[in-house]
Amino acid sequence: MQRLPADEAAAPAAAPAAEPVNSRRAAMGYGLAVFGLAAVGYLSLSVEILWYRLLGFMTASHPQVFGLLLAVYLAGIGWGALQAERQSTDDAAARSRLVRHLLLAAVTIFLAVPVTSWVAALAGKPVAVALGYAGAGLAAFLCGGVFPSLVQLATADARAASVQRVAWLYFANIVGSALGPLVTGFVLLDRLSLVHNMALQAALALVLALILGAPAWRRLVPVALAAAAVGALAHGALTAGALERLQYADTGQAPFRHVREDRTAILTVEAAEQDVMYGHGIYDGRFNLDPVVNTNLIDRAYLLAALHPRPERVLEIGLSTGSWTRVLAGYEPVRELIVVEISHGYPSVVRHYPAIASALTDPKVRLHTDDGRRWLRNHPQERFDLIVMNNSFPWRANTTNLLSREFLQLVRSRLKPGGVMYYNSLGWDHVPYTAAHVFRHVVRFRSAVAASDTPFALPLQARRENLLRFRGPEGQPVFSASPAHARKLEELMAVQLPDVAPSLLQRGDLWLITDDNMANEFKVRH
């Protein structure tokens, strides 16, 4: 055997050439990363929707909530991604970071409703709303930090780091983000409550942490499962009374008599002598038909007798408690009453009140689930003697849709000659001021506004005859029920309805509400 020279024998073996960083094996499978990015996108957008629902309920659908939440959420996502990129070191650190972020996100989402509700009850709604925005920003920060970590783990080798494969990672995140509003916003919110949707998203964050953290984080599985079990057992106790605390900012409020949630709103009913309906955190009306009791100013509905001589075909936009619907259905001249309600929730709540719910099965009543403005736009052939809306507060989000000049012009085109638009202004002069720019004649009664191109000049005797044609749920004449009802009839007979259109048009301190300026939501001080 040939011997090597001494100096060669003593020389150490040459070290293998260093492997290029981008040629090493990826720390996470490409398919798993695609799944993770899609799931995180879904989680992020779903949680944003749920936070919007939480903040919207607390603020009674304040119009600024959407813009502020969007700004907070985008800032949180951007900051989280930036911090993760700056802290990017080795793959172990990246995996540890994404697991930590997902676990913290699970805790943040799970505790969002109970913590915010207790803060509202103990410290007031302004503090709770501020905390809600902070919680939304934290959730966005945590989700934002997961994205660069997953991309880093999936693109370590040269093949996975190609432009096309990186693009697919981004595409997966976009698809997941699109599914968030579609699945959570349109499906889950119709089937699960706010608190259960939050719990579901918290569970998703926990499951993602376990899946994406394996195998290095397998030791966390027993701990995570134990934490999940404790959370599931404690969930009911943690969230009990949460909606009451969020709505009233009080710890001593009695439980709601009824709660109904769907994707449009959270409806709650307060037990009272005449139960009170709340629509997404604010007063919506009382369940009452009696004009003498009049706790819900239902006499506004009976004053229809003075506005139109014989309204045979009526459209009602918005069901609310159904009290106006029952009054209209019991008015003898009405031959057809079409009710358009955007939410499935209102009819389901109204059915708990048999006297009012009987209107929903009245042969002359047809109920459509749709947006009122969209329904009018999509039915250009329809014409009505009377269009009625007992609408909510003008400053709430999206109310411009039913108060603007453009909407009133649409309504005007759907009225028969002599037709009347009758709706709620909640005392805001901007509402009848806008009506005066569309209709020739405007009158007011309490908070209600009636507008028409025909003068309101019904003779008193015709008004009396119309008032006597209102029937209750059992078919009995409403204003013959008692001496008090007879006095109420005389009171409604004496109501003066001066035309206020000329005086309104002379005022220079009011806003004309349009689709473009959304004055009632953003221009007028509330």
Side-chain angles (χ1 to χ4, degrees), residues 53-130:
R53 192 172 184 83
L54 173 61
L55 289 164
F57 182 76
M58 276 198 294
T59 62
S61 301
H62 201 278
Q64 279 74 23
V65 168
F66 178 79
L68 289 173
L69 179 63
L70 181 61
V72 168
Y73 221 77
L74 290 175
I77 288 175
W79 186 30
L82 180 62
Q83 290 297 105
E85 190 275 334
R86 285 177 175 174
Q87 297 170 8
S88 179
T89 53
D90 58 27
D91 293 343
R95 189 182 289 270
S96 176
R97 182 170 55 250
L98 76 86
V99 171
R100 185 169 61 250
H101 276 222
L102 286 170
L103 291 176
L104 289 174
V107 174
T108 301
I109 298 166
F110 184 79
L111 296 177
V113 174
V115 169
T116 306
S117 69
W118 277 109
V119 171
L122 299 174
K125 280 193 179 182
V127 177
V129 169

Side-chain angles (χ1 to χ4, degrees), residues 292-306:
V292 173
V293 174
N294 209 33
T295 50
N296 54 347
L297 300 182
I298 195 64
D299 60 354
R300 295 170 299 165
Y302 291 100
L303 195 75
L304 289 169

Side-chain angles (χ1 to χ4, degrees), residues 487-498:
R487 289 192 296 271
K488 188 67 179 182
L489 182 147
E490 297 301 324
E491 178 187 320
L492 292 175
M493 283 279 297
V495 170
Q496 299 296 311
L497 297 173

Side-chain angles (χ1 to χ4, degrees), residues 170-201:
Y170 278 78
F171 180 72
N173 187 251
I174 292 170
V175 170
S177 299
L179 288 174
L182 291 174
V183 176
T184 300
F186 285 92
V187 179
L188 294 180
L189 282 177
D190 259 348
R191 290 161 174 78
L192 299 174
S193 67
L194 171 63
V195 295
H196 286 100
N197 268 295
M198 281 288 197
L200 180 63
Q201 299 305 320

Side-chain angles (χ1 to χ4, degrees), residues 156 346 482:
Y346 283 100
S482 72

